[in-house]
Amino acid sequence: MKKKFRIAFRILFLLFLVLGAIYILVVKPSDRVQTATGPIFGTTYHITYTYAEPIDTFIVREMQAVDHSLSMFNPQSTTSRINRGETDQTDGLVDEMWLLSERIAADTDGAFDPTVAPLVNAWGFGFKHNALPDSAGVDSLLQLVGHDKVKISHGHIAKQTPGLMLDFSAVAKGYGVDRVARLLDSRGVKHYMVEIGGEVVVKGGHPENRPWKVGVTTPDEGGTGTVQCMFELTDGAMATSGNYLRFYERDGRRYAHTIDPRTGFPVQHEVLSATVFAPNCATADAYATAFMVLGLEKAKAVLSRHKDLKAYLICSAPDGKYRVWHSPDLKPLKP
Ligand code: ADP
Ligand code: MG
């Protein structure tokens, strides 16, 4: 009796193993190429990833978390509430972006500055629109700008003057891309391309066993979307800043949305678009904005100190054409 029981148990156990193997091999869905697109941060996202099922809800949740924390255009975001002086509590996302922004502000001699918001508003690119400032107005606004006038630690912000405001617009898109990439990493996704408004992170190459291809557009006024060149990437991040999409003209002068936090005025020089390659997208995004402010020669000086940063800079040329400078080890391909 005991022996029969043992045999029955073994048969059952074997059956369990066989059925388990069949489930893994046949029933469990294998990875497929999934795509997700939609609007976010006033632009659009395009995400391609290999996974057994779509996880779009989780992806959108990551991007919304960034909006709820860092957006100057969402009145309920942590950043907006801090800027209105309603709270001195930060959150994990603000803390992380502050650390990164502070480091890059110091590294770029203040060309990048996450407290530029009062100037951005004054020049008509923020969440408030007033008459354009004169130079006395700019001088008084400059008193409210400076990353060294703010301390953020342990979830708490201390401002030197109440008028200080945070502006994470120059890193938020890139950080949104990083957050989605982290989510996909945590799910074990092997191949992905995450893109929000031109900022990109790729991993593992394309599922068809080739690199991912990403394009850089020409800095034509208003953005014609013409592709200037392509890059083949397997792993890494890329972000572009340009003054050809967001600008306005008044009295024959052009006002672009990148502000030099040291002078208080919108930037006007030869760099029309800056594309930066970095280990993560928030870093690429921040340096892309910084390079727009610094101009070609100072951007090159920053690049020479950082082996993990590369750049493709499109500058204006006297004949109305474009002049390109790029890091020597970048290989732009014809579109
Ligand atoms: P885009 O990718 O749209 O070209 P950026 O990443 O350069 O934009 O971000 C531009 C935004 O960053 C501006 O609208 C403004 O809110 C903010 N900004 C402008 N100048 C600076 C600066 N010098 N440092 C940090 N943020 C800036
Ligand atoms: Mg940027």
Side-chain angles (χ1 to χ4, degrees):
M1 192 64 196
K2 230 177 169 183
K3 198 175 170 194
K4 268 190 187 161
F5 180 76
R6 250 202 330 257
I7 290 170
F9 179 78
R10 276 183 192 162
I11 290 171
L12 263 176
F13 183 67
L14 222 80
L15 205 71
F16 176 76
L17 281 184
V18 170
L19 285 176
I22 290 174
Y23 173 78
I24 288 169
L25 291 172
V26 182
V27 183
K28 185 180 173 278
S30 55
D31 284 354
R32 288 191 209 166
V33 178
Q34 313 281 353
T35 54
T37 58
I40 196 82
F41 309 152
T43 176
T44 44
Y45 63 87
H46 301 92
I47 300 165
T48 307
Y49 58 105
T50 48
Y51 204 57
E53 73 230 351
I55 46 169
D56 298 16
T57 358
F58 299 96
I59 288 174
V60 171
R61 209 176 283 168
E62 283 302 321
M63 293 188 282
Q64 279 169 350
V66 173
D67 190 79
H68 291 156
S69 173
L70 303 181
S71 172
M72 287 208 299
F73 299 94
N74 173 352
Q76 294 318 313
S77 73
T78 311
T79 300
S80 294
R81 289 189 297 114
I82 289 173
N83 288 350
R84 289 195 300 267
E86 290 170 13
T87 181
D88 57 8
Q89 304 295 305
T90 62
D91 61 33
L93 289 82
V94 167
D95 291 357
E96 188 180 349
M97 279 308 96
W98 178 258
L99 271 180
L100 178 130
S101 302
E102 217 188 4
R103 178 169 50 76
I104 295 176
D107 189 49
T108 58
D109 191 25
F112 176 85
D113 196 304
T115 64
V116 76
L119 292 164
V120 172
N121 278 334
W123 290 109
F125 295 103
F127 52 93
K128 273 190 200 161
H129 298 278
N130 300 320
L132 293 187
D134 54 16
S135 56
V138 167
D139 279 348
S140 68
L141 288 170
L142 280 173
Q143 306 307 309
L144 308 176
V145 174
H147 62 102
D148 49 346
K149 295 176 182 153
V150 184
K151 291 270 168 297
I152 296 183
S153 65
H154 302 104
H156 181 267
I157 177 166
K159 306 177 187 178
Q160 225 173 62
T161 67
L164 267 157
M165 290 191 248
L166 302 177
D167 182 345
F168 293 113
S169 301
V171 287
K173 271 192 285 167
Y175 185 53
V177 173
D178 286 335
R179 299 280 303 200
V180 174
R182 272 185 218 170
L183 166 77
L184 298 177
D185 285 340
S186 75
R187 298 285 185 125
V189 176
K190 296 209 169 52
H191 307 272
Y192 60 74
M193 161 131 98
V194 180
E195 184 252 330
I196 305 178
E199 327 300 32
V200 187
V201 167
V202 298
K203 184 173 177 180
H206 193 280
E208 284 168 10
N209 211 10
R210 55 178 166 83
W212 293 101
K213 277 193 176 168
V214 291
V216 172
T217 53
T218 53
D220 303 327
E221 275 184 26
T224 56
T226 312
V227 178
Q228 159 103 8
C229 69
M230 305 290 295
F231 288 96
E232 291 192 334
L233 294 180
T234 306
D235 297 284
M238 174 186 117
T240 301
S241 259
N243 270 339
Y244 53 98
L245 286 177
R246 291 196 64 208
F247 67 86
Y248 59 87
E249 288 190 31
R250 200 175 283 184
D251 305 328
R253 231 204 99 162
R254 179 179 286 198
Y255 296 91
H257 78 146
T258 317
I259 314 287
D260 188 333
R262 289 115 11 131
T263 64
F265 282 85
V267 168
Q268 274 199 315
H269 54 61
E270 79 269 50
V271 182
L272 301 174
S273 107
T275 297
V276 175
F277 298 82
N280 62 66
C281 206
T283 301
D285 204 352
Y287 277 105
T289 302
F291 291 169
M292 291 299 302
V293 178
L294 287 171
L296 181 59
E297 291 311 316
K298 288 186 178 147
K300 282 189 199 170
V302 171
L303 287 162
S304 69
R305 299 200 303 268
H306 295 280
K307 290 287 153 275
D308 57 350
L309 293 182
K310 295 177 189 6
Y312 182 90
L313 307 174
I314 308 179
C315 306
S316 55
D319 53 1
K321 290 192 182 135
Y322 302 132
R323 189 162 51 95
V324 170
W325 178 90
H326 65 79
S327 304
D329 38 359
L330 274 184
K331 292 192 173 48
L333 305 171
K334 289 218 171 76

